[in-house]
Amino acid sequence: LMGSIAIIVRAEAGLEELGENWVPLPLGERHSIESIVKDVISTESDQLLLSLEIEGPDESDLPRSITASGVWGAEERRVLRSLCQRLSARLYDAESGGFIEHEL
């Protein structure tokens, strides 16, 4: 089990760390992202120890990030992996300062 806060963002495959002025590309239209999140979570059990927060409309019309927090066991990692795949995104660990999708 990992307990952590991470951010789902769209970033180039070769990018290892985020520069000071780096801004993620939009993940897509808000309604599409909400639908994907709902779809991925609804296929899992109600026992997920995972909280997902889509970037608010006050930040951007096209959300650029989803913050994930919780305790990540096998089910939570499966949800995060699925979200990253469906959104063509990567998982960034704010604590370690690096991308961690390979740990999923």
Side-chain angles (χ1 to χ4, degrees):
L1 287 176
M2 293 189 302
S4 197
I5 296 176
I7 306 166
I8 297 171
V9 293
R10 194 164 279 171
E12 301 81 40
L15 191 65
E16 291 301 321
E17 53 188 53
L18 305 181
E20 200 174 305
N21 299 321
W22 183 82
V23 177
L25 296 169
L27 292 168
E29 298 282 339
R30 181 170 303 281
H31 67 276
S32 298
I33 296 168
E34 290 170 351
S35 174
I36 288 170
V37 168
K38 235 179 252 166
D39 185 44
V40 168
I41 288 183
S42 71
T43 63
E44 299 299 327
S45 72
D46 295 333
Q47 305 300 314
L48 285 177
L49 299 173
L50 182 65
S51 167
L52 298 169
E53 186 177 329
I54 299 170
E55 179 182 34
D58 53 326
E59 299 282 329
S60 174
D61 288 340
L62 297 173
R64 296 170 299 216
S65 66
I66 300 173
T67 302
S69 58
V71 178
W72 306 346
E75 294 297 313
E76 290 81 8
R77 288 196 302 273
R78 193 170 12 264
V79 165
L80 293 169
R81 186 171 47 246
S82 179
L83 283 173
C84 285
Q85 289 170 345
R86 295 204 34 200
L87 294 168
S88 300
R90 298 176 68 195
L91 193 62
Y92 184 80
D93 184 346
E95 292 172 23
S96 71
F99 288 97
I100 57 170
E101 66 272 4
H102 60 277
E103 295 176 20
L104 297 177

